[in-house]
Amino acid sequence: MRKETIQGLSEAIRLGSWHNDYMLHEAQAFLGCSADQVFRVYNEYVGKYFRNIIVTALDAFLEENKFKVIAQKSIGSNGFQTPKKEDVEIAPKVFKSCFTEGCFLLEKEKTRFILEFQNSYHTDGWWVTVFYKSTSEDLAKSFLRDLEAFAKIHNYLKKAKIDAGLSYIPHGEHTWDDIILPAKTKSELQVNVGGMIANIELYKKNKIDFKRGLILKGPPGTGKTLIGKILCNSVDCTFLWVTPRYLERSHHVKMICDMARELSPSILFLEDIDLYSEDRASSRNASLLGEL
């Protein structure tokens, strides 16, 4: 009997699919053991953020930790096939071709693992799984922890100017000289955004909370979007530009806020917030408004 831990409906569906018959057969052959000695550990990530930082950092991680790639494969409905690759934008108009679905058959000092990337077609999830022989459990678990930690340290999105889909946004050369605002309004924006970001180390040193939330209110054409472009261009931090199409469900709010925390210091610019933050008494999507 295989030792499995089933966590949640998504994993239960995944365990019941045809995928595992092929995977178990490959694991037995590569690890050199019987089916009852094949185990696995996994992480499930929601959204593209962790997927992108992990796949872009993978080659460097394997090289630094001296893992040898014996083979690369992918499992399809007809057995093994070519792994799937995707061009990930790692800088404005600069792309890196990365494996996003498939198996890496790895070896280090005579210890073997199978690393698998797989999309979940039942959720917005992406799975990172390590298959291992029963005697290699500690190494398998540390592999997942170390891979995620390495990806965070070498995160290509730090201080990037991106939208919620992780595409770089053209922020131009906008400055405060490009907008006409009351002096008090402009000063409050500069102090509470740019000034706060510039003095974060001072806030940390004195244990002062440096979180801010500002609402820009006014009819169309008064400069709200332009203020976002100015902040995007002028403030030295990560900038996340979020439009309503990226916030369809409540878990999207959590996903974007978690990403902003990971990339902090960050400016999270929610454009047209009135479109998804209706009056709570008449909101058609109460869960989205509640999460926001």
Side-chain angles (χ1 to χ4, degrees):
M1 173 181 270
R2 291 161 60 188
K3 178 182 177 182
E4 300 284 0
T5 301
I6 300 177
Q7 295 182 355
L9 177 61
S10 180
E11 173 66 350
I13 294 172
R14 187 170 184 256
L15 286 173
S17 69
W18 46 260
H19 163 276
N20 292 278
D21 293 331
Y22 290 109
M23 193 68 250
L24 180 58
H25 180 271
E26 182 69 14
Q28 287 178 256
F30 182 67
L31 300 178
C33 62
S34 59
D36 62 349
Q37 292 298 306
V38 176
F39 298 96
R40 68 178 175 178
V41 290
Y42 64 88
N43 286 332
E44 182 181 17
Y45 300 103
V46 177
K48 290 174 61 177
Y49 170 70
F50 271 107
R51 188 203 72 165
N52 279 18
I53 67 170
I54 287 173
V55 299
T56 55
L58 179 64
D59 291 342
F61 173 79
L62 295 178
E63 181 178 356
E64 182 173 301
N65 290 276
K66 296 180 171 56
F67 279 96
K68 181 180 179 182
V69 180
I70 305 300
Q72 294 173 336
K73 300 181 179 181
S74 183
I75 296 177
S77 57
N78 296 317
F80 289 94
Q81 57 192 29
T82 304
K84 296 180 181 178
K85 301 186 77 174
E86 182 177 321
D87 288 336
V88 178
E89 190 176 15
I90 59 173
K93 298 183 180 179
V94 178
F95 295 86
K96 180 179 181 180
S97 182
C98 301
F99 286 99
T100 55
E101 288 188 72
C103 298
F104 296 81
L105 278 59
L106 305 174
E107 185 177 67
K108 178 181 179 180
E109 299 174 353
K110 298 183 180 180
T111 299
R112 288 187 163 189
F113 300 101
I114 298 179
L115 171 67
E116 182 188 32
F117 295 157
Q118 185 186 22
N119 284 326
S120 169
Y121 297 100
H122 307 284
T123 67
D124 292 331
W126 182 71
W127 296 83
V128 181
T129 304
V130 173
F131 294 84
Y132 61 95
K133 192 187 300 188
S134 59
T135 55
S136 306
E137 182 171 7
D138 290 342
L139 288 174
K141 290 181 177 178
S142 66
F143 181 94
L144 286 183
R145 291 194 301 267
D146 294 345
L147 175 58
E148 182 178 314
F150 185 92
K152 290 180 178 180
I153 292 172
H154 297 82
N155 194 333
Y156 74 96
L157 290 171
K158 278 283 189 178
K159 295 191 176 182
K161 315 297 183 180
I162 53 176
D163 63 25
L166 306 186
S167 296
Y168 283 80
I169 55 179
H171 50 87
E173 299 298 328
H174 302 285
T175 71
W176 289 108
D177 294 332
D178 296 326
I179 191 169
I180 299 174
L181 289 172
K184 182 181 178 182
T185 301
K186 182 182 291 189
S187 176
E188 288 181 348
L189 286 166
Q190 292 172 333
V191 169
N192 286 286
V193 183
M196 186 200 71
I197 296 293
N199 290 288
I200 278 182
E201 293 306 317
L202 185 61
Y203 284 102
K204 289 180 178 179
K205 180 180 178 181
N206 292 281
K207 298 181 180 180
I208 299 173
D209 182 19
F210 52 86
K211 182 170 66 175
R212 294 287 188 279
L214 303 176
I215 294 179
L216 308 179
K217 179 182 178 181
T222 53
K224 299 185 297 299
T225 297
L226 180 55
I227 288 171
K229 293 179 180 179
I230 293 169
L231 294 172
C232 182
N233 182 58
S234 61
V235 182
D236 185 27
C237 69
T238 307
F239 190 99
L240 296 172
W241 193 296
V242 183
T243 55
R245 72 189 181 99
Y246 291 108
L247 298 180
E248 296 179 352
R249 299 179 178 88
S250 57
H251 74 270
H252 292 155
V253 177
K254 181 181 185 303
M255 180 178 69
I256 288 171
C257 289
D258 287 347
M259 182 167 66
R261 293 187 187 98
E262 285 284 340
L263 295 170
S264 65
S266 305
I267 294 175
L268 182 56
F269 192 86
L270 303 175
E271 191 170 25
D272 297 324
I273 195 172
D274 53 302
L275 297 182
Y276 40 74
S277 61
E278 308 167 48
D279 184 275
R280 63 189 301 158
S282 60
S283 177
R284 292 164 294 178
N285 194 338
S287 62
L288 175 60
L289 178 59
E291 189 69 26
L292 183 65

